[in-house]
Amino acid sequence: QGVTVDVHGERQDAPPKMVSITYKVLIDSDEDDHKLELLHHNIQKFGTIYNTVSAGTQLTGTLSRL
């Protein structure tokens, strides 16, 4: 029904690159906790953007109910 995403990144100046990214996803949903955990797991395992970013940057975060 709704989602809020908070993202915090740490940038290195020399050479310029993202050192780490931390995210917090808050979902407004009627789905049970197991399905939300499965969603987060599947994004981490199969998500193209997630896997592209995590290959070169420390990427950590949580997904929880709003």
Side-chain angles (χ1 to χ4, degrees), residues 3 10-11 15 21 25-26 28 34 36 38 40-44 46-51 53-54 58 61 64-65:
V3 65
E10 258 186 74
R11 183 181 181 278
I21 298 172
V25 179
L26 299 171
D28 183 7
H34 175 72
L36 294 181
L38 184 60
H40 193 212
H41 173 75
N42 286 339
I43 290 169
Q44 292 172 322
F46 302 113
T48 303
I49 295 170
Y50 186 96
N51 288 311
V53 172
S54 67
Q58 179 184 353
S64 57
R65 187 175 313 283

Side-chain angles (χ1 to χ4, degrees), residues 12-50:
Q12 174 179 295
D13 287 332
K17 71 174 187 174
M18 291 303 295
V19 176
S20 67
I21 298 172
T22 304
Y23 63 88
K24 183 176 184 181
V25 179
L26 299 171
I27 295 180
D28 183 7
S29 174
D30 295 332
E31 295 293 340
D32 61 41
D33 289 342
H34 175 72
K35 285 205 177 179
L36 294 181
E37 290 171 17
L38 184 60
L39 172 65
H40 193 212
H41 173 75
N42 286 339
I43 290 169
Q44 292 172 322
K45 188 170 182 181
F46 302 113
T48 303
I49 295 170
Y50 186 96

